Structures are given as structure tokens and as C-alpha cells.
Amino acid sequence: MNAPLATPASGPRWLYLHGFASGPLSAKGVWLDAYWAKQGITLERLNLRVPSLEHLSLHTMLDTVRDALGAPNDRAVLIGSSMGGYVAARTAEADPRVGALVLLAPAFHFVEQLQRRLGPKAWAEWQRTGFLETDDHAEKRRTRVHHGIMQEAQLLDAKRGPWPDVRVPTLIVHGRQDDTCDVRYSREWAKGKRHVRLVEVDDGHELTASLELIAREADVFLSPWRGVEPARQVFTGG
């Protein structure tokens, strides 16, 4: 494949935020990178395994994204998958440099969702021992993650509210068969928001069967941000 062309200096940065226990080489991120490279758009795939997967920190992830947004007058489009979608939304609610979001199966209320999936016994064990055994999808091995990220998320939700207060144009693509991040949370968050478009697909959490659809939807939705920087659009309507 030819090297991607640089995004025009006048345009916003396009940043990809991978999901939990994934990495910059995630299948969706690599596919979208190659797809948009053909159009002269560089998709920067951030590394959110910070400071490490074992000691994953929500605040360090948010700092990593903020640092990647650039100078005070720069603008960016954030494309976030799963937990990366949650981080993208939390960034957008607090940083005026974010002009638009594309969220793929975003992990809204992820503490609540993980508690339900694990069950009370496993959740209590994670709290007691401090670590949860899980799969590292990037390195194809078993690993463990410290419980601190759950405490960070609970504190952030208590401070800002459980739903990210995002006012910029947002596209969500979410699978109805998603058994990791339930689509009903995206439905609830999108309800009544004129600046949010929710597209439901017959797919699971990975959305591997929906990549072409994601690309088509994003191309249309992000057309104002393709090469020429628009004025920041702020919506207040519900």
C-alpha cells in the first residue's frame, strides 16, 4: 500500500481511539486507516495502553488524547471504539478542540456494564485482589488489569455526571447483538439529541461485518471536516 498522504494543514486531525485491552493495531483502526489514506486523510491511531495495560489509567488515557489534539487553535475529529468511544466522549465534553465524534459501540456506563457481566462474586474478587484476569487482544495473551481504572471512572462519573455532556455532532454505530456494550445505552444517550445520529446494525461488539457501512456513514457525516476546517459546531438542542 502506498504511504498515506498528509492531511491538509488547514484541516482537523483525525484520531482513532482503540478499545479496552486492544491497541493501535486493532483491526478496525487499521482498516479505517487504510480506507481514509486512499482519500488523503491520515488517521492517527493513538496508544491508550497507558501507562500500561496492567495499570491502565482513565486519566492517563484522557491526558494522552488531549496531548494529541495539538495546539490551542487546532481541531480534531475523534473516532473511538468501545472504551475508546467513552474516552472520546469524555474528551469532547471538556475540550473545545474536538469538532466531531464517531463512536463505535461506545462503552457508556462501562463500570455498570462490567459489573453486570462479571457478576457480584467476580466483581468483589477484583476489588479484593486488585487485579482482574483478562485477554490482551493486542498481544494475544492473558494479562491482568488493576481495579484502579474502575475507581477512576466512578469518581469521574460522580464529578461530571454518568453521561458525557457532548455538544458536538456525533455519529454512533452500534450492533444489536453486542453482548459487551449493550446497545440500549447508546439508545438512551442519543435519545432526543438532534446533534447525534445513531445507526444500529445487525452485528456484534467488534463490528467486523459492518466496516464498509461504518466507512460510508462516516464519510457522509464527516464531510464538513474533510480537508477544510469548519467553524466549531455547538448544539444545545435535546
Side-chain angles (χ1 to χ4, degrees):
M1 187 190 313
N2 293 332
L5 302 175
T7 303
S10 60
R13 298 178 180 203
W14 289 38
L15 308 178
Y16 183 82
L17 284 58
H18 63 77
F20 177 80
S22 186
L25 295 177
S26 71
K28 283 194 294 292
V30 170
W31 192 94
L32 290 169
D33 187 353
Y35 174 83
W36 279 317
K38 296 173 185 176
Q39 303 177 33
I41 297 170
T42 298
L43 183 65
E44 299 176 50
R45 289 177 276 124
L46 303 186
N47 181 8
L48 298 184
R49 298 163 65 91
V50 288
S52 67
L53 183 56
E54 185 171 343
H55 293 282
L56 202 60
S57 165
L58 178 58
H59 289 109
T60 307
M61 285 191 276
L62 289 165
D63 287 343
T64 298
V65 179
R66 283 193 291 265
D67 288 346
L69 293 177
N73 292 328
D74 286 344
R75 294 293 180 267
V77 169
L78 302 184
I79 298 97
S81 173
S82 193
M83 181 173 281
Y86 172 81
V87 173
R90 283 300 190 192
T91 302
E93 74 176 345
D95 199 309
R97 292 173 294 178
V98 179
L101 297 175
V102 175
L103 307 180
L104 310 176
F108 294 132
H109 284 241
F110 74 85
V111 175
E112 176 185 323
Q113 297 208 61
L114 196 50
Q115 283 179 315
R116 186 185 68 251
R117 286 171 54 212
L118 289 176
K121 183 176 180 180
W123 180 262
E125 184 69 6
W126 190 7
Q127 290 178 304
R128 185 185 69 81
T129 64
F131 288 95
L132 173 73
E133 294 289 327
T134 189
D135 290 321
D136 183 338
H137 301 298
E139 298 187 3
K140 311 298 183 191
R141 63 182 177 88
R142 292 291 288 175
T143 189
R144 62 181 194 167
V145 176
H146 193 262
H147 191 264
I149 189 172
M150 297 295 110
Q151 297 168 321
E152 287 182 282
Q154 290 171 319
L155 289 172
L156 186 61
D157 287 350
K159 179 180 179 181
R160 296 189 186 178
W163 296 104
D165 183 17
V166 173
R167 306 296 180 92
V168 300
T170 302
L171 169 67
I172 302 175
V173 181
H174 209 134
R176 298 187 191 95
Q177 281 77 53
D178 191 331
D179 58 3
T180 299
C181 295
D182 198 314
V183 68
R184 69 186 176 91
Y185 290 88
S186 286
R187 291 171 182 161
E188 180 67 21
W189 187 76
K191 187 189 307 179
K193 293 184 174 70
R194 290 178 295 172
H195 61 291
V196 176
R197 171 171 166 74
L198 171 60
V199 178
E200 296 187 21
V201 294
D202 291 319
D203 205 346
H205 185 64
E206 298 302 321
L207 294 171
T208 52
S210 305
L211 290 173
E212 293 281 355
L213 180 144
I214 290 168
R216 290 196 305 270
E217 289 283 347
D219 276 349
V220 174
F221 191 81
L222 297 175
S223 57
W225 289 268
R226 297 164 67 82
V228 178
E229 181 181 346
R232 176 176 166 82
Q233 299 185 37
V234 178
F235 294 78
T236 59

